[in-house]
Amino acid sequence: MKADILNKRKQWLPESENDGLDKWTKEADKSTDFSIYFGIKLTGIRYEKDEQNNNAYFKKSLSLFKTVLSRQKANNASGLPVLSLANSFDALITIVGFSPEPLLHTILALSPNSVYPIVTKESAAHYKVMNIQPNTPLQCFEKIFELYKDPSQNITVKPISRAVESIGSIDTFKRVREIIAEIRKEKSDARIALDITGGKKSADASAFLTVAIEKDIDIFYVDFEEYADGKPKCGTEFLNKLENPYDLYNIDLITQAKELFKNGNYAAAQQLFEKAKNNLESKAKQFGLTSELEAIEKMYSISKCLQLWDALNFDNIKEHTEFLSGDLISLLKSILNDDPYYFALNLIIDARRYIEQARYNDATIRLTQSMEHLLTTVIENNNDPSFCDYINAKKEIYQPDLINKLHNLRIRRNSMVHKTNPIGKKAADEFYKTCISVLKFEFPRNKIDDDLIKFSFPKEFNIDGTLK
């Protein structure tokens, strides 16, 4: 960035912390000595406080990092992301590479109860841990926490159970899941965070995907506002939080909604699509997900439309038909124009869907409605003797008197509405076939078998939210 970051941060700091800010940050950038930066020294294989170094760069950097974090949380850090953080974390999983500074910033700023380091043999050796056995301590981190944690902080560094492979993200994926399972075995509702700052890209990606799948885990990394010669500049650190893509994209909600839609449960699908739409609306522009939001809005609108259609609520359906396919629009127009064939066909199509869902009473009600509608049309027209002859020939199904038959159909429908006459699959299938036969007899010129397929409600969506 072109702005002078350190000068900008001087505006945030008390005068006592401004003194020497430019000097010590530049000195820290030039220093390559791990011990000098942290104010510790190696005695044998153990780290101890370096009594000669009372002005460790890490102490100053950590103080500045905490100040910046507090301003991020208060939405008062110009140009930096606003952070919404849990009040406390039960555990923080951190991938330990060869640059511990940012990891330790995160840990001491977030103050989790427990820290679970993930190391490779190579990164462990960097901290003088040469032989990893179960329950091997990471003594370097323990000493740094001891020196720099606040009196109120109680941070436990969990021992290393095993190292992960230096190359290959599958093992990192496995290890993160092992740790999550271990944490949640002790506390099922544990608040967990993951810091992916320290790992290689393959390990980071693996760990990131793991917690994304696991969900309810916050993902952090330390970023820098300024770089020089490809290296981050001390004093420009800030904490960033990654959105969980599974939550951001509403993957679970949309998957469930699509499954409900596929099975004809349009009301429930509509509710989940609406929830996903509401979740994404405030973030779509920020994360460049406007097309994803538009797709969800289409799926919501279609589900709402088919829910109204399924309820035969044609009075309120017109305003929700924008994303219907041409065939469905054609069928709807015919129904709204009181076309007896298409009205009956629609009810029969509904019945077929209900039979597939094992809703046999509902299917039979729809079939009864379809025949009632046709018979009413015949009675009103009173000029279709061939249809009457057909019914007379089917006395085992219909009485010759159309008016009596219509009355009997209504009685049967009402009994099913009140669930006093349950219908099984066999009876529903037979009634369905009978209704198809009646429809074919009354409308011999129509391609009924083709129409049953053509006008059936689609079950799946395209990626852009339109119907397949």
Side-chain angles (χ1 to χ4, degrees), residues 249-259 273 276 296 299:
Y249 281 84
N250 295 279
I251 289 176
D252 275 356
L253 280 177
I254 294 173
T255 300
Q256 293 172 27
K258 286 182 176 179
E259 189 65 24
F273 281 131
I296 295 173
M299 292 186 287

Side-chain angles (χ1 to χ4, degrees), residues 339-356:
D339 186 299
Y341 167 73
Y342 287 106
F343 191 90
L345 178 74
N346 176 67
L347 294 172
I348 291 173
I349 290 172
D350 287 349
R352 182 71 259 169
R353 186 170 65 252
Y354 295 161
I355 291 173
E356 291 173 356

Side-chain angles (χ1 to χ4, degrees), residues 319-373:
E319 61 187 275
H320 299 284
T321 60
E322 179 182 359
F323 304 112
L324 290 188
S325 64
D327 287 339
L328 288 180
I329 291 292
S330 174
L331 175 59
L332 181 60
K333 287 180 177 179
S334 298
I335 293 171
L336 294 174
N337 288 331
D338 295 324
D339 186 299
Y341 167 73
Y342 287 106
F343 191 90
L345 178 74
N346 176 67
L347 294 172
I348 291 173
I349 290 172
D350 287 349
R352 182 71 259 169
R353 186 170 65 252
Y354 295 161
I355 291 173
E356 291 173 356
Q357 299 169 8
R359 295 167 56 189
Y360 306 123
N361 268 23
D362 292 339
T364 310
I365 289 172
R366 279 290 198 263
L367 294 170
T368 304
Q369 288 173 319
S370 70
M371 293 299 97
E372 180 182 32
H373 181 75

Side-chain angles (χ1 to χ4, degrees), residues 139-279:
Q139 196 265 334
C140 175
F141 277 36
E142 291 177 341
K143 177 54 66 174
I144 292 171
F145 294 155
E146 178 186 326
L147 294 176
Y148 295 106
K149 68 182 181 181
D150 293 336
S152 61
Q153 291 180 313
N154 184 19
I155 303 172
T156 301
V157 184
K158 293 291 185 177
I160 303 167
S161 297
R162 67 176 182 88
V164 299
E165 298 173 6
S166 57
I167 299 176
S169 62
I170 293 177
D171 197 30
T172 307
F173 184 96
K174 181 179 179 181
R175 183 63 191 132
V176 172
R177 298 202 73 186
E178 290 171 354
I179 293 172
I180 292 171
E182 178 184 337
I183 295 167
R184 287 188 168 154
K185 184 177 181 181
E186 294 181 4
K187 185 179 180 181
S188 59
D189 61 346
R191 186 74 186 189
I192 304 172
L194 171 76
D195 185 355
I196 63 173
T197 308
K200 293 181 178 180
K201 288 182 174 60
S202 59
D204 286 351
S206 175
F208 175 71
L209 289 174
T210 301
V211 297
I213 294 170
E214 291 282 351
K215 300 175 193 172
D216 298 322
I217 297 177
D218 291 333
I219 309 166
F220 295 102
Y221 69 98
V222 175
D223 206 344
F224 296 81
E225 286 196 271
E226 283 195 353
Y227 288 80
D229 300 324
K231 294 176 61 178
K233 293 185 66 173
C234 182
T236 69
E237 300 94 336
F238 66 93
L239 190 63
N240 215 337
K241 184 180 178 183
L242 291 173
E243 288 284 340
N244 187 320
Y246 280 78
D247 293 337
L248 183 62
Y249 281 84
N250 295 279
I251 289 176
D252 275 356
L253 280 177
I254 294 173
T255 300
Q256 293 172 27
K258 286 182 176 179
E259 189 65 24
L260 289 166
F261 183 91
K262 182 178 180 179
N263 291 313
N265 194 338
Y266 305 116
Q270 169 208 331
Q271 291 177 353
L272 293 186
F273 281 131
E274 183 176 24
K275 186 175 181 180
K277 178 173 69 74
N278 293 339
N279 288 347

Side-chain angles (χ1 to χ4, degrees), residues 292-463:
E292 284 78 4
L293 177 60
E294 289 171 359
I296 295 173
E297 289 172 338
K298 290 176 186 176
M299 292 186 287
Y300 163 75
S301 180
I302 291 168
S303 299
K304 174 69 174 178
C305 180
L306 296 191
Q307 180 261 323
L308 292 170
W309 192 326
D310 192 51
L312 304 181
N313 187 354
F314 296 116
D315 291 337
N316 298 315
I317 202 172
K318 294 180 181 179
E319 61 187 275
H320 299 284
T321 60
E322 179 182 359
F323 304 112
L324 290 188
S325 64
D327 287 339
L328 288 180
I329 291 292
S330 174
L331 175 59
L332 181 60
K333 287 180 177 179
S334 298
I335 293 171
L336 294 174
N337 288 331
D338 295 324
D339 186 299
Y341 167 73
Y342 287 106
F343 191 90
L345 178 74
N346 176 67
L347 294 172
I348 291 173
I349 290 172
D350 287 349
R352 182 71 259 169
R353 186 170 65 252
Y354 295 161
I355 291 173
E356 291 173 356
Q357 299 169 8
R359 295 167 56 189
Y360 306 123
N361 268 23
D362 292 339
T364 310
I365 289 172
R366 279 290 198 263
L367 294 170
T368 304
Q369 288 173 319
S370 70
M371 293 299 97
E372 180 182 32
H373 181 75
L374 287 179
L375 291 170
T376 301
T377 303
V378 170
I379 292 171
E380 289 175 350
N381 293 339
N382 199 25
N383 60 358
D384 194 348
S386 62
F387 188 54
C388 297
D389 291 342
Y390 174 82
I391 291 177
N392 286 329
K394 295 289 183 179
K395 290 182 180 181
E396 72 277 12
I397 301 173
Y398 297 104
Q399 297 177 12
D401 186 340
L402 288 178
I403 297 179
N404 288 340
K405 179 54 190 170
L406 182 58
H407 177 67
N408 289 337
L409 284 172
R410 287 169 174 159
I411 292 174
R412 189 175 186 186
R413 178 193 64 198
N414 293 337
S415 69
M416 285 184 291
V417 167
H418 298 292
K419 301 188 182 300
T420 58
N421 183 20
I423 302 295
K425 184 178 187 305
K426 183 177 180 180
D429 282 337
E430 287 300 318
F431 196 11
Y432 174 81
K433 293 175 182 176
T434 298
C435 292
I436 295 294
S437 298
V438 172
L439 196 64
K440 287 182 175 180
F441 182 87
E442 176 65 4
F443 301 96
R445 296 182 180 180
N446 292 68
K447 298 180 180 180
I448 295 173
D449 290 332
D450 291 340
D451 287 346
L452 288 170
I453 298 172
K454 178 180 179 181
F455 295 117
S456 293
F457 285 178
K459 296 184 176 182
E460 295 181 353
F461 293 100
N462 296 308
I463 194 170

